[in-house]
Amino acid sequence: MKIVTIVGSIRKDSLNKQLALTIQERYKELFDMELLDIQSLPFYNEDEENDPSQAVLEFKKKVADADAVLIITPEYNWSIPGVLKNAIDWMSRVDKVMIGKPVTLAGVAGGPMGTIRAQLHLRQILTGLQVNMMPPAGNEILIGLANSKFNSGRLTDEATLTFMDGVIGRFADFVSSSK
Ligand SMILES: Cc1cc2nc3c(=O)[nH]c(=O)nc-3n(C[C@H](O)[C@H](O)[C@H](O)COP(=O)(O)O)c2cc1C
């Protein structure tokens, strides 16, 4: 199973990227996961959407070829970061690579809310892209108070990892049954 992951933070020491790397390593028997580069995408411009840069073409091809998409994002100002919205806007146009694609979400925040407002916004945005969203009940990876849960660049909190094992296992089943 081939999964691509989009991280909504381009910060070098991003905790959300650290979560992506934790998932990539911990579930390598379940799926082959690639982290996509959103930093090299230009600002979305409708004038360019039919003849976009190589970075856009490569990004969209990787999404199109994947069995599923995992989006891991921080919350910025009660919503999603602009860099992530930019990537979503590219994916929403022309060849519309997200239609029918199995998707699930995760997020890390320093505060107690664990990105819930960003994830609710993101679900609303992705509805417009006609994705195949994993049902959220019992499957929301919302990691708050993150500073005590990460060590040496990885998620290390045992209770959170155990919870995530269940969600990621159910996501793999969801992707398999969507084929
Ligand atoms: C512009 C900006 C807006 C933010 N807004 C929120 C917010 O609305 N809710 C929240 O929980 N954290 C907010 N934060 C804090 C982020 O959750 C925190 O910086 C987080 O570590 C960013 O994710 P990253 O480590 O993956 O870069 C904000 C941070 C920035 C830089």
Side-chain angles (χ1 to χ4, degrees):
M1 186 180 297
K2 173 81 189 159
I3 292 192
V4 290
T5 294
I6 300 171
V7 177
S9 170
I10 56 175
R11 189 170 76 87
K12 182 167 49 69
D13 296 324
S14 161
L15 292 166
N16 285 274
K17 185 173 178 193
Q18 291 177 25
L19 177 62
L21 293 170
T22 304
I23 291 173
Q24 187 178 44
E25 290 165 7
R26 189 171 176 91
Y27 306 109
K28 58 178 184 293
E29 307 299 329
L30 263 185
F31 42 66
D32 169 21
M33 181 177 129
E34 181 180 359
L35 267 66
L36 298 188
D37 168 28
I38 61 169
Q39 193 162 7
S40 59
L41 298 175
F43 286 140
Y44 171 79
N45 180 341
E46 195 173 347
D47 292 337
E48 295 169 10
E49 67 174 20
N50 288 307
D51 187 21
S53 69
Q54 195 60 27
V56 173
L57 291 172
E58 282 171 16
F59 178 81
K60 291 178 83 173
K61 179 162 187 345
K62 285 181 177 177
V63 174
D65 290 347
D67 295 310
V69 178
L70 171 62
I71 303 180
I72 305 180
T73 186
E75 179 172 297
Y76 274 10
N77 300 309
W78 290 31
S79 185
I80 63 170
V83 286
L84 174 59
K85 183 62 162 55
N86 187 53
I88 291 172
D89 289 341
W90 278 115
M91 291 190 288
S92 72
R93 299 285 292 179
V94 192
D95 42 348
K96 301 185 181 179
V97 290
M98 290 292 273
I99 292 180
K101 193 68 71 180
V103 175
T104 200
L105 312 178
V108 184
M113 302 291 283
T115 77
I116 185 63
R117 293 165 296 211
Q119 286 198 23
L120 290 171
H121 244 176
L122 186 50
R123 284 181 185 280
Q124 183 179 353
I125 293 164
L126 291 171
T127 302
L129 274 74
Q130 302 174 53
V131 305
N132 182 15
M133 183 67 78
M134 188 193 193
N139 295 318
E140 291 173 302
I141 302 179
L142 301 162
I143 304 178
L145 306 174
N147 288 337
S148 61
K149 296 176 182 162
F150 285 77
N151 282 293
S152 307
R154 296 294 182 273
L155 174 67
T156 52
D157 182 70
E158 278 303 327
T160 309
L161 287 166
T162 301
F163 172 74
M164 211 167 62
D165 289 347
V167 178
I168 295 294
R170 288 190 290 279
F171 184 54
D173 292 343
F174 177 74
V175 177
S176 297
S177 64
S178 302
K179 282 187 178 175

